[in-house]
Amino acid sequence: PIDSLAYDSISPIIASETVRNAFFAMLAASVFILFYIWYAFRRAPKAYRYGISAIIALIHDTLIVLGIFSILGRVLSIEVNATFIIGILTVAGYSVNDTIVVFDRIRENVIKHPERSFTSLVNTSIIETIGRSFNTSLTTLLVLLAMLLIGGASIRGLLLVVAIGVIVGTYSSIFIASQFLVIWDRKEFGRAFRLGRRASAVSLQSIFNLISR
């Protein structure tokens, strides 16, 4: 019997070029998303805030997925390759789509009830859309789980990225993008920064204590 072996290798130059192209692709997509949301929400007061908030949620989702995969790379030796980059771009599209659903309801409520406070309108909009967001994410996750179980090894990395991105994207649309609009409306950036810095310090101290044991 004749065994056929194949070995594929990518040089560091090509790998760095792929990462650079992925960064520029994400940057270009973010710019188009920003201007699209700004134009789509032009009838809402201060429409540019919606676009910037969506980009912030998108950056959050990307960083979370990158962080999880950096841990999985250490633990399970999962490689970051071209499939991973495709997954990141897919997550970006899904995250923005879910965020626009929530923002669209906020815009409708702001136009219908200008006399109510913006914080109350955002809270009402989240309540009205949270069921739809969870149901959409759940059905998507079920399909991804089925593909993970019966699909080939070549697409498992992509499916895992998208599955994590669906979870993080649903969370960020409700608890990151919408809340950033409220923080912006209240002009509480300083308070939010101090709370974030305090939470980071507590988390780092907890990790240090855990390692020291």
Side-chain angles (χ1 to χ4, degrees):
I2 300 176
D3 296 330
S4 177
L5 300 177
Y7 178 77
D8 296 327
S9 177
I10 299 177
S11 68
I13 297 177
I14 297 178
S16 62
E17 184 178 352
T18 302
V19 173
R20 185 171 61 253
N21 291 338
F23 172 78
F24 286 127
M26 181 66 73
L27 182 62
S30 299
V31 172
F32 281 112
I33 289 170
L34 172 62
F35 284 104
Y36 169 75
I37 296 179
W38 191 348
Y39 177 78
F41 288 78
R42 62 190 182 278
R43 295 184 180 179
K46 301 175 181 177
Y48 63 92
R49 294 185 177 182
Y50 294 87
I52 296 175
S53 299
I55 297 303
I56 290 174
L58 175 60
I59 295 173
H60 164 271
D61 298 346
T62 304
L63 292 178
I64 292 295
V65 174
L66 288 173
I68 292 176
F69 260 76
S70 65
I71 296 174
L72 293 177
R74 293 274 185 172
V75 178
L76 303 177
S77 300
I78 296 179
E79 297 181 356
V80 175
N81 48 26
T83 304
F84 174 81
I85 296 174
I86 295 173
I88 287 291
L89 295 175
T90 305
V91 168
Y94 185 91
S95 173
V96 171
N97 177 72
D98 202 22
T99 302
I100 288 177
V101 171
V102 181
F103 281 2
D104 187 60
R105 186 56 58 90
I106 294 175
R107 177 186 60 177
E108 292 178 359
N109 288 331
V110 167
I111 295 175
K112 288 181 181 179
H113 308 284
E115 74 283 355
R116 295 177 56 183
S117 67
F118 186 75
T119 303
S120 174
L121 293 173
V122 170
N123 185 60
T124 301
S125 302
I126 291 174
I127 293 174
E128 292 174 349
T129 57
I130 193 169
R132 176 182 175 181
S133 297
F134 279 130
N135 290 334
T136 303
S137 300
L138 180 60
T139 53
T140 305
L141 285 174
L142 290 176
V143 174
L144 292 172
L145 179 60
M147 295 178 68
L148 277 170
L149 294 176
I150 65 177
S154 59
I155 62 172
R156 284 178 183 171
L158 172 63
L159 296 176
L160 186 58
V161 173
V162 176
I164 296 174
V166 167
I167 298 173
V168 177
T170 304
Y171 163 81
S172 68
S173 299
I174 299 173
F175 299 105
I176 301 296
S178 303
Q179 304 310 318
F180 190 81
L181 286 174
V182 175
I183 293 174
W184 201 337
D185 182 71
R186 292 183 172 183
K187 299 179 175 61
E188 295 181 347
F189 288 109
R191 180 184 176 187
F193 176 75
R194 289 192 298 270
L195 290 175
R197 185 172 59 182
R198 188 180 307 170
S200 300
V202 172
S203 300
L204 290 175
Q205 184 64 37
S206 301
I207 294 173
F208 178 76
N209 294 335
L210 183 62
I211 295 175
S212 301
R213 291 179 181 176

